[in-house]
């Protein structure tokens, strides 16, 4: 009988080639021997919510991890829908990492609360071996914590701080990094408040780190970076900067010859020509914070035939998308954000609608990712995407409230055609308005999303019947987020029990009861349910002169699988729901 199984020698040879987490999970279920071998050889883990397990459980299960990605607050925190003190603290994880994870080289915290003391402990305990440190949309720390990183993490290849809320005390952290590191490849403090850095330290990093290929910084005068660009000969990506001098002065700026990914903040029409000499080499272009109108977008995009990734605001307009479809046949990723809320960044001509979407689908056949805000939409546009965008893996559409009348609602048939045509789709978001999708359309989403693992739905469906029909499908759905729902607690609970692969649910805006009692219909072992009651949020007047207004935030539900049991760091604004009748968890 022993000879029928795979030998340890063969298994040891095969296991390193199994990288996909789902394949690894399947392997670990075969038998105890395979489970143990997976535990010893697993190199990377992603934990989608830090409360689904505990640091000591992770250490016991995978003692030789080399890479860890850990997420904290729900995704809604990025849109200020979750309170800052909701949770997601890295402290217990850092303590475990510092004491036990001797092999850990790559660490990525996302949407978590990090303290300076956490960074100090991490730098002292793991600074010599840490190669990658990403603090991604994190908060709670200052440049004092980064100072420890700069001094102790001398082998760091990547330091990523993008969109983190960091208290800027001084620029000594960057000076220490520049003095102590000679192997840095990526430095990113884009979209942060770190303004006290010195351009001399950026130049020193460029001279000392010959392998530097990516630099993304905060708003910093581009003319002060001339020396940095001259020294950074291997640089392939740059983002940030600002323009505050006369346009003719920027003729002195010369970018590194290998640069192929670029995003220049606050670049206007007059500064745009500095990009023209190398525009044909660009593969990635970030125009989110440029001061360009629709025609400027069209002119620039025409000069970028090799573009694979574009990020812009909806000022690009349908005409800009048509130019994109004609000029950029290699485009794989497109992100179009809303722009009308940003002062000085609105163009009345910049409206994205079904016209631009249809041009994009017909012209950019390699497209894999689309995230877009539209002012108008039709079933025909969604059908066109389903017909042409066969490589689409991630599609996200938000219908703005800008137009009083939408050309073609509901979108039932268009959504069905898109889902049926885009068989590779794994992530799907549809945020509409009342009447945008009927119960029938919601049932189509369930029926034609066999491979979708993450979904965001906003203002869809008409009644509980639509949600129940939806929940009979989606066999692969693991994470579901919903806003602006008309569904009852009872229907939500029933849908959760129907969705067999579901591991995470977040809902804001539903038919909430006083107690949330009907939500207990989804209670089961290892399933945590948290309720955030409706609350008033004070919003300052946009111009700063008027009176602040109170906005009512509807109640939230957060429910998720956890091997660690209910968490213990609830703030007063979060109510855990756990009936006495629910079977006890085994930790």
């Amino acid at each position: 009988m022993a000879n029928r199984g795979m030998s340890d020698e063969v298994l040891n040879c095969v296991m390193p080639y199994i990288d996909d987490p789902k394949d690894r999970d399947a392997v670990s279920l075969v038998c105890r021997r395979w489970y143990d071998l997976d535990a010893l050889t697993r190199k990377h883990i992603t934990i989608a919510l830090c409360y689904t397990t505990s640091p000591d459980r992770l250490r016991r299960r995978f003692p030789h991890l080399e890479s860890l990605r850990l997420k904290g607050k729900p995704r809604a925190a990025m849109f200020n829908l979750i309170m800052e003190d909701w949770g997601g603290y890295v402290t217990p994880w850092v303590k475990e990492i510092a004491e036990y994870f001797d092999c850990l080289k790559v660490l990525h915290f996302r949407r978590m609360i990090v303290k300076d003391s956490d960074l100090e402990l991490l730098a002292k305990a793991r600074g010599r071996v840490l190669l990658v440190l990403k603090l991604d949309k994190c908060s709670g720390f200052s440049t004092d914590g980064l100072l420890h990183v700069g001094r102790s993490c001398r082998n760091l290849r990547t330091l990523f701080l993008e969109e983190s809320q960091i208290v800027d005390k001084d620029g000594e952290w960057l000076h220490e990094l520049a003095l102590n590191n000679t192997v840095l490849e990526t430095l990113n403090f884009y979209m942060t408040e770190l303004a006290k850095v010195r351009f001399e330290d950026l130049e020193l990093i460029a001279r000392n780190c010959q392998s530097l290929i990516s630099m993304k910084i905060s708003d910093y005068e581009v003319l002060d970076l001339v020396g940095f660009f001259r020294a950074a000969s291997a640089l392939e990506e740059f983002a940030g900067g600002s323009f505050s001098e006369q346009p003719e002065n920027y003729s002195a700026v010369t970018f590194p010859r290998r640069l192929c990914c670029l995003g220049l903040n606050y670049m206007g029409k007059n500064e745009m020509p500095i990009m023209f000499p190398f525009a044909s080499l660009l593969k990635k272009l970030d125009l989110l914070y440029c001061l360009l109108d629709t025609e400027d977008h069209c002119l620039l995009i025409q000069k970028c035939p090799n573009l694979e990734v574009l990020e812009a605001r909806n000022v690009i307009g349908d005409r800009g998308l048509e130019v994109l479809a004609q000029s950029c046949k290699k485009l794989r990723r497109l992100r179009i954000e809303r722009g009308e809320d940003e002062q000085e960044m609105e163009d009345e001509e910049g409206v994205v609608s079904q016209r631009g979407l249809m041009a994009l689908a017909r012209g950019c056949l390699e497209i894999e990712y689309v995230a877009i805000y539209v002012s108008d939409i039709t079933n025909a546009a969604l059908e066109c995407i389903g017909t042409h965008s066969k490589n689409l893996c991630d599609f996200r559409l938000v219908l703005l409230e800008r137009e009083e009348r939408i050309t073609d609602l509901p979108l039932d048939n268009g959504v069905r055609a898109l889902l049926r045509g885009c068989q590779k789709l794994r992530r799907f978001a549809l945020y509409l308005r009342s009447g945008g999708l009927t119960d029938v359309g919601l049932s189509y989403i369930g029926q034609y999303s066999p491979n979708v693992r993450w979904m965001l739905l906003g203002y869809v469906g008409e009644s509980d019947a639509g949600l129940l029909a939806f929940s009979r499908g989606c066999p692969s759905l693991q994470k579901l987020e919903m806003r602006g729902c008309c569904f009852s607690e009872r229907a939500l609970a029933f849908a959760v029990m129907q969705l067999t692969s579901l591991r995470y649910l977040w809902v804001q805006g539903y038919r909430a009861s006083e107690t949330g009692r009907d939500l207990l219909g989804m209670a089961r072992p290892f399933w945590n349910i948290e309720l955030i009651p409706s609350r008033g949020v004070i919003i300052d007047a946009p111009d700063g002169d008027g009176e602040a207004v109170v906005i009512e935030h509807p109640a939230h539900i957060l429910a998720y699988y956890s091997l660690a049991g209910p968490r213990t760091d609830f703030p007063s604004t979060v109510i855990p729901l756990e009936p006495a009748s629910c079977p006890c968890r085994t930790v």
Side-chain angles (χ1 to χ4, degrees), residues 390-405:
K390 298 303 182 181
N391 290 319
L392 197 63
C393 301
D394 191 333
F395 179 76
R396 312 178 191 199
L397 182 141
V398 177
L399 180 59
L400 296 169
E401 297 285 347
R402 183 170 181 168
E403 301 295 329
E404 186 173 335
R405 180 181 175 276

Side-chain angles (χ1 to χ4, degrees), residues 205-225:
I205 289 175
R207 288 197 302 270
N208 290 345
C209 305
Q210 294 299 307
S211 55
L212 186 72
I213 59 172
S214 177
M215 176 73 79
K216 301 179 74 173
I217 65 175
S218 51
D219 301 340
Y220 206 88
E221 172 55 54
V222 169
L223 285 177
D224 291 333
L225 300 174

